[in-house]
Amino acid sequence: MTKTVNYKVSLGKDSYPIFIGKNLLKSLKNHIPNFYNYSKIIIVSDSAISSVNELLFKKYLPQNFNFKKIILPSGEKIKSFKYLEILTEKILNIGIDRTSLIICIGGGVLGDLVALASSIVLRGIDLIQVPSTLLAQVDSSVGGKTAINSGYGKNLIGTFKQPKCVIISTDLLKTLKKRDLVSGYAEILKYSFIKDKLFFGWLEKNAKKILSLNTESCIYAIKKSCSIKSDIVSKDEKENGIRELLNFGHTFGHAIESITGYSNKIKHGEAIFIGMYLAIKFSIFLKLCDEKVAINYARHLNCLGIHFKLDDYGLNISYKEFIKHMKFDKKVKNGKMKFVLIKKIGVPVRIFLEDVRLLSIFLKNELK
Ligand SMILES: NC(=O)c1ccc[n+]([C@@H]2O[C@H](COP(=O)([O-])OP(=O)(O)OC[C@H]3O[C@@H](n4cnc5c(N)ncnc54)[C@H](O)[C@@H]3O)[C@@H](O)[C@H]2O)c1
């Protein structure tokens, strides 16, 4: 039997635990702090995990408690005002009060939307995240960022709302489509590049095991990722400094998602694989890092059969379009673009780009 691992996000009175293990939904109630203090619990989940829902409602949840269920469609399109309205109306229609709890069981898309809704209904009610994709288990469920997208850019509308706890059950991953599983690996790889060269070494040996859902390897990678993320978030909850490091690859990646209209052409993690590669190449272009970093990155992903170039995804984006979309990123300050780049694996650097022409020259050359 695999042991449940506990990890804590330290944020003073808003601190919360992360539970990582297998089959945790069977004992979901036991992981919910102050369970019996809640007047009502609303479980919002994704239509893609209906089998999990059935088990939950028929078997795992105590039958003598007031549970309600909301199921939303899947896809990045639900990170919109339209679905925020639909969801908040559904929640209010159920009839909640300030002692109600929302549990979100889903991927990063649902997690971002539900967390935003939970932060604004009745000016905020408690939330628990039960991430059901690899990406959500290693990244989006931890840290308290909520968001919907705008025509102007990705995640431009949102709040900060920390959950009461995060319950990560690796068995949920077994129904994930391969493409979604691989997409989640992007954020795991990101942590190694921004923080931990040894972890990259471990990934070189074990990534295949993660992608074939070996429980021990998944739990190790999820724990490592959550610990890196929560350490950073604990130091800089509202992203005034080092939390920006978590955006490695995202300035380029978000532009790709925005240009492709948040469609199924490219998943978030896939955009981040490309975004990290461009960030590494841009670091080399600016003479911040050695060509070897790009070689290691490419070799690792080639070994896994993971694509990291625009061409591989059938995308053709002009440098002008790229720059236009990058300018709407949240990392732009006083009109200057901010980038998270890399010196070596494990050693990131944040820079303001004084001369945007450098980016034009780089992209013009890189995208031809
Ligand atoms: N808030 C944050 O800090 C943060 C961090 C990183 C990414 N994100 C956001 O996360 C989103 C991407 O998340 P994602 O990759 O989880 O995508 P997703 O939520 O769209 O999930 C991918 C697909 O898997 C399906 N799915 C979910 N769980 C499943 C399961 N257990 N079995 C089978 N199918 C399942 C979903 O329906 C969807 O079709 C992006 O919108 C990104 O911006 C947020």
Side-chain angles (χ1 to χ4, degrees):
M1 210 181 103
T2 31
K3 215 167 107 248
T4 305
V5 180
N6 279 11
Y7 205 84
K8 186 176 161 196
V9 184
S10 299
L11 289 168
K13 66 175 177 39
D14 291 328
S15 299
Y16 54 94
I18 303 172
F19 304 107
I20 306 167
K22 202 178 169 190
N23 295 323
L24 296 194
L25 263 59
K26 278 188 183 166
S27 50
L28 187 69
K29 177 180 135 287
N30 303 342
H31 295 293
I32 300 177
N34 307 316
F35 177 84
Y36 284 107
N37 290 349
Y38 289 110
S39 60
K40 197 172 273 178
I41 297 183
I42 301 172
I43 299 191
V44 187
S45 71
D46 186 314
S47 53
I49 50 168
S50 49
S51 55
V52 174
N53 272 319
E54 272 215 36
L55 277 171
L56 251 187
F57 283 91
K58 291 203 174 129
K59 258 175 107 175
Y60 301 158
L61 294 174
Q63 297 301 312
N64 59 349
F65 196 84
N66 202 355
F67 285 104
K68 300 284 175 198
K69 151 167 81 169
I70 297 175
I71 297 185
L72 290 182
S74 36
E76 189 74 35
K77 65 178 181 299
I78 67 164
K79 278 177 64 170
S80 63
F81 271 118
K82 179 179 162 202
Y83 278 94
L84 182 63
E85 184 180 359
I86 292 173
L87 176 59
T88 47
E89 292 292 318
K90 278 181 192 271
I91 294 170
L92 294 171
N93 183 260
I94 284 172
I96 51 158
D97 60 33
R98 285 227 169 111
T99 63
S100 302
L101 166 73
I102 296 182
I103 300 181
C104 173
I105 310 180
V109 163
L110 195 75
D112 280 7
L113 174 74
V114 175
L116 176 55
S118 78
S119 75
I120 55 178
V121 284
L122 306 189
R123 299 214 171 84
I125 64 171
D126 285 358
L127 167 76
I128 285 179
Q129 290 277 15
V130 182
S132 66
T133 61
L134 184 61
L135 186 136
Q137 297 196 343
V138 298
D139 194 350
S140 60
S141 62
V142 174
K145 276 190 183 176
T146 85
I148 54 173
N149 302 321
S150 150
Y152 288 101
K154 173 98 176 161
N155 294 340
L156 292 186
I157 299 139
T159 55
F160 284 98
K161 159 88 179 175
Q162 299 298 340
K164 289 290 161 196
C165 76
V166 180
I167 302 167
I168 299 178
S169 193
T170 56
D171 53 291
L172 289 180
L173 302 178
K174 61 178 189 267
T175 50
L176 261 189
K177 289 193 179 123
K178 186 80 187 163
R179 189 176 170 200
D180 291 311
L181 183 70
V182 169
S183 172
Y185 182 70
E187 305 283 8
I188 299 181
L189 186 59
K190 173 191 80 180
Y191 293 118
S192 72
F193 268 70
I194 60 164
K195 188 73 185 168
D196 196 331
K197 191 177 176 198
L198 288 179
F199 184 38
F200 179 65
W202 184 88
L203 289 174
E204 287 192 296
K205 293 194 189 98
N206 294 287
K208 282 192 179 145
K209 287 197 213 155
I210 300 172
L211 297 175
S212 57
L213 293 182
N214 169 281
T215 304
E216 301 288 310
S217 308
C218 284
I219 290 187
Y220 180 82
I222 293 168
K223 194 185 131 217
K224 189 84 190 160
S225 303
C226 287
S227 72
I228 293 174
K229 179 149 187 190
S230 37
D231 284 349
I232 291 177
V233 169
S234 300
K235 289 185 187 121
D236 177 23
E237 182 188 3
K238 300 275 164 74
E239 199 169 294
N240 296 313
I242 63 158
R243 186 167 180 167
E244 288 171 348
L245 296 178
L246 295 169
N247 298 324
F248 176 57
H250 285 59
T251 307
F252 290 105
H254 283 170
I256 298 168
E257 288 185 272
S258 172
I259 292 164
T260 49
Y262 313 112
S263 67
N264 212 28
K265 268 190 206 154
I266 191 113
K267 299 261 171 189
H268 175 70
E270 294 169 340
I272 301 310
F273 282 125
I274 304 170
M276 289 193 287
Y277 186 62
L278 288 174
I280 294 169
K281 295 287 276 188
F282 194 38
S283 309
I284 296 167
F285 175 83
L286 295 177
K287 301 198 175 7
L288 293 168
C289 97
D290 206 272
E291 188 74 45
K292 267 193 279 179
V293 178
I295 294 171
N296 281 338
Y297 183 84
R299 190 185 50 221
H300 178 60
L301 291 183
N302 282 331
C303 268
L304 297 170
I306 296 177
H307 297 319
F308 54 90
K309 293 187 181 159
L310 283 169
D311 272 1
D312 300 333
Y313 292 94
L315 297 175
N316 186 2
I317 301 173
S318 72
Y319 78 95
K320 282 188 182 155
E321 203 179 1
F322 228 117
I323 292 175
K324 188 177 106 195
H325 283 264
M326 286 171 88
K327 282 188 174 158
F328 279 113
D329 199 80
K330 295 185 291 308
K331 270 79 72 189
V332 175
K333 286 195 181 127
N334 299 330
K336 282 189 190 155
M337 291 169 104
K338 202 167 194 186
F339 284 87
V340 179
L341 299 176
I342 201 104
K343 286 183 170 174
K344 292 186 213 168
I345 298 176
V347 187
V349 56
R350 288 175 285 152
I351 63 146
F352 272 117
L353 193 65
E354 297 290 338
D355 184 355
V356 86
R357 281 174 308 176
L358 289 172
L359 181 65
S360 303
I361 298 166
F362 164 72
L363 281 175
K364 212 169 170 178
N365 194 42
E366 195 59 36
L367 301 179
K368 68 177 180 227

